[in-house]
Amino acid sequence: MRLIVAKNYEEMSQRAADLIAAQVLQEEDSVLGLATGGSPVGTYDCLAEMYREGRLDFSKVTSVNLDEYEGMTHDNPQSYWYFMNEHFYSRVNIRPENTHVPDGADPDPEHACRAYDRIIEEVGGIDLQLLGIGPDGHIGFNEPADAFAVGTHLVTLEQSTIEANRRFFEKEEDVPRSAVTMGIGSIMRARRIVLVANGENKQDPVLASFFGPVTPKMPASILQLHPNCTVVLDEAAAAKIRDRI
Ligand code: F6R
């Protein structure tokens, strides 16, 4: 595992975007696994800027997102599809038919999960997976559990995740309680992983995940076993590991 400590959010975002750009420049038909949330917004800004300047071409790229809230349709501004469209799809030349987000609105979540696993398989797996990390160490919405979940599955969100996501909603009651998420198995099969984390509230999960035991109680800890994982932190998120690197 490679750890990069950037000065601030902007530098963290640029470093992550550079790694994604290198992937796309090397393989124009790359499959990118993408994340939502506050952490990767700056990364998408940098990628959109590189596209605008004519330095990147996404026309042959495929994307598969990590997760979607249960019951959310694409036109819902709180949906992760909407987020992706706003921050990334609409700003670059990725083809709409090449973008994939789990179908949180499928009345049969089990069907949606199996369909999503098929999509990941059909596109040939993920070349580079971008991740954030939750305050409880979740990646995607793989919450702390007794075992690592392999494939796409429906999860009940932890109270700490609901509280962390509260900032995107008007009232706490509006925050969805469940989501469809890619499994740890699919994430770990990605050929390359880039995780971004910024801010003080990521200090504890960063310390526990990358310097503690590998355990499903701290889902991101599994990344210690990945052969090609780069963690890009800002100084605040790295504060508790500074003396260990
Ligand atoms: C989002 C996702 C989550 C977030 C995590 C951190 O698609 O899968 O794991 O990456 O909750 O969220 P932020 O970046 O908002 O702190």
Side-chain angles (χ1 to χ4, degrees), residues 28-50:
E28 57 182 6
D29 58 349
S30 288
V31 177
L32 301 179
L34 298 177
T36 58
S39 313
V41 166
T43 305
Y44 296 135
D45 288 344
C46 295
L47 290 173
E49 180 64 13
M50 287 188 240

Side-chain angles (χ1 to χ4, degrees), residues 15 29 33 38 47 61 76 81 107 116 121 143 153 157 165 173 177 188 193-194 206 220 245:
R15 295 294 290 266
D29 58 349
L47 290 173
V61 165
N76 188 323
W81 184 90
Y116 206 60
E121 205 183 304
E143 297 282 31
H153 58 290
L157 301 177
N165 293 347
E173 305 89 88
R177 271 32 189 181
M188 286 298 283
I193 292 180
V194 175
V206 162
I245 50 177

Side-chain angles (χ1 to χ4, degrees), residues 6 8 14 21 34-35 40 43 55 60 74 84 91 104 151 155-156 158 164-165 169-171 180 199-200 216:
N8 51 32
Q14 188 64 59
L34 298 177
T43 305
R55 291 156 56 202
K60 296 198 174 67
H74 286 184
M84 288 308 300
R91 302 166 76 194
V155 281
T156 303
E158 290 292 328
N165 293 347
F169 294 82
E170 232 173 75
K171 311 189 281 303
V180 173
E200 267 176 43

Side-chain angles (χ1 to χ4, degrees), residues 34-40 65-67 80 131-135 138-141 161 164-165 167-168 181 196 198 201-202:
L34 298 177
T36 58
S39 313
N65 258 74
L66 284 166
D67 38 25
Y80 281 173
L131 295 173
I133 182 170
H138 69 228
I139 46 176
F141 274 138
T161 302
N165 293 347
R167 67 193 196 280
F168 299 114
T181 183
V196 282
N198 65 287
N201 66 330
K202 300 296 168 71

